[in-house]
């Protein structure tokens, strides 16, 4: 948008900073012109009252142009290609995996040898969990960064990473890396300077001489790690000040009311964009703005900061998109896409934590009422935005569905959540799950759940008891959950180890830096001899791997699975079933009905429920597109085997 005040300011800035010119810069300037009014307005809103507003804005613009100058020609070309094909990330062709490079392959250099495995499974997007330099001990699995521009020597060097990126580009595999934007390690240079008394760097954090303001903040801030890191402030002996530490006591929260912090993070985002990263996962974005008297989560300013980050990234590296990691209430999560697909855009992708938690609810209850209600309650998301659908990740499972949805499903919120924690920690009489309670808050009664997918699904118990029917059920459950993240709409993100049924691993209990945090129970070091069993017919690994592999291959062929806000729930009457219709707006592509049975007994779905969907028969029978199996029909009803989902052409 053209607006006089901002444009005359931009002209001043460009004259002062002596911007480069030339053909190569055309795209940069057109994008800067297009986004500058938004950048200016947001910056004005956040920092307009400051005397140094103009030099700060100039410094932001010079970061954008300095990083553009360093953007490699092939990445600039990719930016232009993605501009033309702007919904590239919403296609059903993408299938992701999240992994720790250490646990998956040992280090970054070895990762190159494992790309063949990822290709074999059909994965073409890899989220490598944090690899930036971190302290040896206090590192929160890489989320306490000491140097944002250095690869942690434990995983290799920047050169190893560059070689890996080149190898991934060769096989059309996209890369996601983290930018931990909310906090740094207390060993980061900024924190060290702050500890040395430098005011400039103390202003990068929230530091207070006494408890007055910390007490006021804490009065309304929920605790993230109530067991091992209670409270939200930590006393720093070097400065005699209280520092805000919402997560662990060694993770210092960055203070975005200081524009210098925002500019540093823009620079870091563009640094990684210029390394060739396709998608940046912005960690803990709900926490970016703190306000006394509020929970200091999901604040309006946190959204404005994300809009600014997006507008800036679009000027220099528009082909790079963002994932919002905001594990918050359903109605809050959706806001991280932004208010509008073009203006006020934030992140193109967001973790679908709601769907994940609802799936686990359906597994425990064998009932889909809450799943259906919870999905119904999700507001339609923006165009040009998509979900990251996952079953497990490196974090705990938070039971983050809304109380209203629980009540509407006939349960009582407190006792229902307690039931789920009991169920997944194996304390419920009927449960064979082997998870652990995480983040137990004795004051509020809240708890989350840790545990590997296979162990939560009952495989560990079943194997220990050598109980064949229970092993079968666990395998069915694992496949069913993967089936739904493949078909729901969005990018499925598999967690490393899950496609061969990797179990809990309590090795972390021997490590003093990890033993207090049971999320490590589901952050495995893969044993590649066990992984090789994926090719041994009849093994658990092979039964899982072959089905998930086939599912991925089929997903990629079904255009209706692209995420274009093209899903409609189908009312199933039967409370064990969950079904939806995936359609394509235009063209002749087949539509698909997905129907899933969460019960441990076969269930009937009356055919008339699908009347308007026109289920297509092949030679008089219905075929499941995913497995190729013939669907059993009896008395005008589909018979769904236990713990099974079908994809039916419609
Ligand atoms: C994110 C990460 C989690 C980490 C937290 C604090 O939620 O996924 O692992 O503990 O941020 O950085």
């Amino acid at each position: 948008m053209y607006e006089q005040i901002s444009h005359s300011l931009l002209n001043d800035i460009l004259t002062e900073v002596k911007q480069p010119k030339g053909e190569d810069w055309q795209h940069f300037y057109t994008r800067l012109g297009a986004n500058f009014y938004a950048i200016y307005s947001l910056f004005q809103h956040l920092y307009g009252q400051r005397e140094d507003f103009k030099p700060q804005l100039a410094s932001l613009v010079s970061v954008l142009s300095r990083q553009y100058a360093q953007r490699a020609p092939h990445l600039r070309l990719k930016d232009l290609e993605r501009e033309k094909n702007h919904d590239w990330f919403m296609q059903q062709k993408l299938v992701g995996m999240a992994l720790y490079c250490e646990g998956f392959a040992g280090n970054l250099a070895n990762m190159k040898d494992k790309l063949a495995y990822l290709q074999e499974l059909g994965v073409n997007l890899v989220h490598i969990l944090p690899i930036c330099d971190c302290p040896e001990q206090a590192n929160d699995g890489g989320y306490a960064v000491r140097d944002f521009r250095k690869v942690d020597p434990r995983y290799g060097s920047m050169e190893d990473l560059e070689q890996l990126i080149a190898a991934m580009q060769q096989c059309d595999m996209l890369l996601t890396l983290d930018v931990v934007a909310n906090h740094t390690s207390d060993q980061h240079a900024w924190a060290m300077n702050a500890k040395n008394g430098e005011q400039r760097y103390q202003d990068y954090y929230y530091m207070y001489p006494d408890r007055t303001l910390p007490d006021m903040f804490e009065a309304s801030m929920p605790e993230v790690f109530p067991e091992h890191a209670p409270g939200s402030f930590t006393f720093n002996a070097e400065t005699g000040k209280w520092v805000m530490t919402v997560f662990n006591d060694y993770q210092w929260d960055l203070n975005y009311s200081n524009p210098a912090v925002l500019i540093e993070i823009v620079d870091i985002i563009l640094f990684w964009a210029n390394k060739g990263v396709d998608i940046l996962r912005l960690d803990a974005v709900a926490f970016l703005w703190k306000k006394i008297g509020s929970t200091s989560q999901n604040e309006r300013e946190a959204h404005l900061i994300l809009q600014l980050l997006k507008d800036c990234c679009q000027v220099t590296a528009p082909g790079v998109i963002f994932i919002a990691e905001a594990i918050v209430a359903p109605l809050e999560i959706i806001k991280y896409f932004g208010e509008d697909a073009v203006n006020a855009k934030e992140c193109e992708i967001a973790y679908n934590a709601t769907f994940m938690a609802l799936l686990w609810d359906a597994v425990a209850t064998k009932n889909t009422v809450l799943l259906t209600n919870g999905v119904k309650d999700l507001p339609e998301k923006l165009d040009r935005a998509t979900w990251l659908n996952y079953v497990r990740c490196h974090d705990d499972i938070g039971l983050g569905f809304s109380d209203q949805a629980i009540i509407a499903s006939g349960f009582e919120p407190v006792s229902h959540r307690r039931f789920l924690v009991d169920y997944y920690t194996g304390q419920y009489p009927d449960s064979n799950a082997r998870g652990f309670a995480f983040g137990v808050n004795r004051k509020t009664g809240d708890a989350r759940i840790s545990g590997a997918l296979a162990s939560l699904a009952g495989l560990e118990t079943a194997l220990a008891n050598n109980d064949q029917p229970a092993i079968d059920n666990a395998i069915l459950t694992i496949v069913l959950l993967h089936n739904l993240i493949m078909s729901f709409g969005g990018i499925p993100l598999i967690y490393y180890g899950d496609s061969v049924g990797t179990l809990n691993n309590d090795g972390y209990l021997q490590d003093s830096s990890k033993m207090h945090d049971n999320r490590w129970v589901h952050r495995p070091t893969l044993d590649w001899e066990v992984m090789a069993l994926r090719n041994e017919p009849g093994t658990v690994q092979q039964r899982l791997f072959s089905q998930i592999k086939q599912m991925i291959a089929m997903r990629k062929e079904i255009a209706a699975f692209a995420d274009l806000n093209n899903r409609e729930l189908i009312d199933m009457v039967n409370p064990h079933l969950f079904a939806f219709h995936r359609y394509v707006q235009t063209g002749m592509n087949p539509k698909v009905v997905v129907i899933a049975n969460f019960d441990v007994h076969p269930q009937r779905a009356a055919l008339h429920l699908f009347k308007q969907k026109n289920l297509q028969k092949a030679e008089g029978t219905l075929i499941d597109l995913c497995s190729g199996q013939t669907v059993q029909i009896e008395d005008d009803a589909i018979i769904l085997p236990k713990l099974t989902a079908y994809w039916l052409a419609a």
Side-chain angles (χ1 to χ4, degrees):
M1 187 203 282
Y2 173 73
E3 186 277 332
Q4 290 86 344
I5 300 176
S6 54
H7 273 256
S8 83
L9 187 58
L10 179 59
N11 281 330
D12 290 350
I13 292 174
L14 293 179
T15 317
E16 275 162 32
V17 199
K18 295 209 181 46
Q19 296 292 315
K21 295 199 180 63
E23 216 178 294
D24 278 2
W25 282 77
Q26 176 201 328
H27 298 293
F28 175 80
Y29 286 119
T30 43
R31 296 194 294 246
L32 181 61
N35 271 12
F36 191 72
Y37 175 67
I39 293 175
Y40 163 84
S41 312
L42 290 162
F43 210 78
Q44 163 83 30
H45 188 103
L46 292 165
Y47 310 117
Q49 75 294 358
R50 291 176 61 110
E51 272 179 17
D52 62 352
F53 171 74
K54 192 176 160 189
Q56 293 284 3
L57 187 58
S59 141
L60 178 63
V61 173
S62 74
V63 164
L64 302 186
S65 77
R66 178 166 46 73
Q67 291 287 6
Y68 184 73
Q70 284 161 25
R71 191 149 178 80
H74 74 281
L75 296 177
R76 291 184 183 183
L77 210 62
K78 201 183 270 181
D79 291 334
L80 300 180
E81 281 163 17
R82 288 183 177 168
E83 215 160 74
K84 286 214 175 86
N85 176 23
H86 61 76
D87 58 3
W88 59 273
F89 58 94
M90 307 208 294
Q91 299 310 312
Q92 79 283 4
K93 301 274 177 198
L94 282 186
V95 176
M97 181 182 284
L99 53 86
Y100 276 106
C101 81
E102 198 178 23
F104 180 72
N107 57 31
L108 289 167
N110 292 349
M111 279 262 332
K112 275 201 306 253
D113 303 330
K114 299 290 183 236
L115 297 183
Y117 160 81
L118 296 170
Q119 284 182 301
E120 180 189 341
L121 182 57
V123 165
N124 50 15
L125 185 169
V126 183
H127 171 205
I128 306 182
L129 284 147
I131 51 168
C132 286
D133 181 51
C134 278
E136 185 75 36
Q137 294 275 317
N139 62 42
D140 190 24
Y143 286 100
V145 176
R146 180 166 55 191
D147 185 341
F148 285 108
R149 294 181 179 80
K150 183 177 167 203
V151 170
D152 194 298
R154 273 172 288 199
Y155 312 135
S157 62
M158 190 59 86
E159 208 186 336
D160 293 331
L161 178 68
E162 282 162 358
Q163 285 178 11
L164 175 64
I165 292 175
M168 288 176 71
Q169 282 168 354
Q170 287 282 311
C171 49
D172 275 336
M173 209 177 270
L174 304 184
L175 175 62
T176 298
L177 289 182
D178 284 86
V179 171
V180 186
N182 178 67
H183 44 260
T184 71
S185 152
D186 63 353
Q187 304 297 309
H188 188 285
W190 303 334
M192 300 303 275
N193 294 339
K195 288 182 199 172
N196 281 336
E198 283 186 50
Q199 189 59 46
R200 173 173 168 206
Y201 288 101
Q202 292 195 356
D203 291 346
Y204 273 40
Y205 300 98
Y206 296 86
M207 298 182 80
Y208 301 102
D210 57 42
R211 285 288 314 179
T212 315
L213 289 170
D215 284 344
M216 289 167 79
F217 271 112
E218 277 184 355
S220 51
M221 282 170 91
E223 294 171 313
V224 180
F225 297 141
E227 296 155 300
H228 62 263
S232 298
F233 284 84
T234 301
F235 184 72
N236 172 250
E238 280 103 323
T239 54
K241 292 190 177 177
W242 290 89
V243 188
M244 186 185 285
T245 54
V246 168
F247 291 89
N248 288 294
D249 56 13
Y250 52 82
Q251 287 167 302
W252 288 21
D253 284 69
L254 286 165
N255 186 345
Y256 279 85
S257 68
N258 177 358
V261 168
L262 178 108
I263 296 167
E264 295 271 18
I265 297 295
V266 169
D267 201 22
I268 290 162
I269 285 178
L270 296 176
F271 171 85
W272 286 107
N274 281 350
K275 288 284 169 210
V277 177
D278 299 281
I279 305 179
L280 288 167
R281 174 190 183 276
L282 304 184
D283 182 59
V285 289
F287 296 84
L288 291 180
W289 195 267
K290 318 297 197 290
K291 207 179 270 170
I292 288 173
S294 78
T295 58
S296 294
Q297 291 182 35
N298 308 311
E299 287 300 315
R300 165 129 185 89
E301 288 82 354
H303 288 284
L304 301 182
I305 288 164
L306 287 169
Q307 288 169 24
L308 248 178
L309 298 179
K310 174 86 301 193
D311 287 333
C312 290
C313 186
Q314 282 179 333
V315 171
T316 301
V320 173
I321 58 173
F322 295 162
I323 300 177
E325 194 256 347
I327 312 302
V328 291
L331 294 180
E332 294 297 337
I333 295 186
I334 197 134
K335 295 183 188 159
Y336 289 89
F337 292 125
E339 284 160 30
D340 176 288
V342 180
N343 291 312
K345 178 100 197 160
E346 296 179 22
C347 300
E348 289 83 352
I349 308 174
Y351 276 79
N352 199 348
T354 311
F355 186 53
M356 179 275 299
L358 290 167
L359 288 174
W360 284 109
D361 184 86
V363 170
T365 57
K366 300 165 184 62
N367 179 305
T368 54
V369 179
L370 181 51
L371 170 61
T372 308
N373 285 334
V375 169
K376 260 189 210 154
D377 283 355
L378 270 184
E380 182 129 316
K381 62 178 169 48
L382 292 184
D383 290 338
R384 304 201 197 176
T386 195
W387 291 117
L388 201 62
N389 292 315
Y390 64 113
V391 184
R392 287 301 289 116
C393 69
H394 69 291
D395 280 331
D396 47 288
I397 300 172
L399 305 172
F401 20 76
S402 69
D403 284 358
Q404 292 98 295
I406 301 180
I407 295 166
S409 310
F411 306 115
E412 194 282 312
V414 172
S415 60
H416 189 65
R417 289 205 172 88
R418 187 163 307 143
F419 154 75
L420 290 171
V421 174
D422 286 350
Y423 184 90
Y424 284 113
T425 53
Q427 289 170 52
Y428 187 75
D430 202 20
S431 158
N432 57 4
R434 286 203 187 175
F436 298 88
F438 176 80
V440 178
N441 190 326
R442 309 231 172 268
K443 290 169 238 163
T444 61
D446 286 346
R448 283 119 65 191
I449 297 155
S450 285
L453 166 54
S455 296
L456 294 175
L459 186 61
E460 192 175 335
T461 308
L463 288 170
N465 298 340
N466 197 13
D467 178 345
Q468 268 317 315
I471 294 175
D472 293 346
N473 280 359
I475 290 178
L476 286 167
T477 304
I478 296 169
V479 173
L480 171 66
L481 291 169
H482 280 92
N483 183 302
L484 288 166
I485 61 166
M486 295 288 163
S487 54
F488 185 75
I491 304 172
L493 187 73
I494 302 174
Y495 187 56
Y496 76 119
D498 283 350
S499 36
V500 292
T502 306
L503 303 175
N504 285 342
N505 184 333
D506 62 10
Y508 75 101
L509 292 170
Q510 313 311 320
D511 181 334
S512 61
S513 71
K514 295 177 177 159
M515 60 202 324
H516 61 279
D517 185 340
N518 65 24
R519 289 176 299 173
W520 286 99
V521 82
H522 58 254
R523 296 172 177 176
T525 297
L526 298 187
D527 175 341
W528 284 89
E529 279 177 24
V530 175
M531 297 293 285
L533 297 177
R534 71 186 185 277
N535 297 318
E536 292 273 322
T539 59
V540 168
Q541 289 78 7
Q542 185 268 342
R543 290 171 66 190
L544 284 169
F545 187 85
S546 59
Q547 292 186 74
I548 294 173
K549 176 179 165 176
Q550 163 140 351
M551 195 184 283
I552 292 174
M554 289 311 298
R555 163 187 157 91
K556 291 183 180 174
E557 296 305 311
I558 299 177
F561 284 168
D563 187 22
L564 306 166
N565 280 338
N566 48 343
R567 178 187 50 251
E568 179 201 353
L569 286 190
I570 306 175
D571 256 324
M572 275 292 96
V573 191
N574 180 333
H576 303 290
L577 302 181
F578 175 61
F580 50 89
H581 182 218
R582 300 297 316 274
Y583 49 90
V584 188
Q585 314 278 15
T586 51
M588 296 302 289
N589 295 305
K591 300 163 181 155
V592 176
V593 165
V594 176
I595 172 168
N597 175 13
F598 278 82
D599 196 22
V600 287
H601 302 289
Q603 293 293 330
R604 301 165 58 84
L607 274 172
H608 72 82
L609 295 171
F610 307 100
K611 221 185 207 132
Q612 267 122 44
K613 309 293 179 263
N614 248 332
L615 292 182
Q616 281 176 16
K617 297 192 171 165
E619 294 174 11
T621 51
L622 282 176
I623 304 286
D624 169 27
L625 296 176
C626 185
S627 64
Q629 276 172 31
T630 304
V631 173
Q632 191 191 343
I633 297 181
E634 231 178 61
D635 299 335
D636 282 336
I638 294 174
I639 310 296
L640 262 124
K642 63 178 176 181
L643 301 168
T644 296
Y646 285 150
W647 296 348
L648 305 174

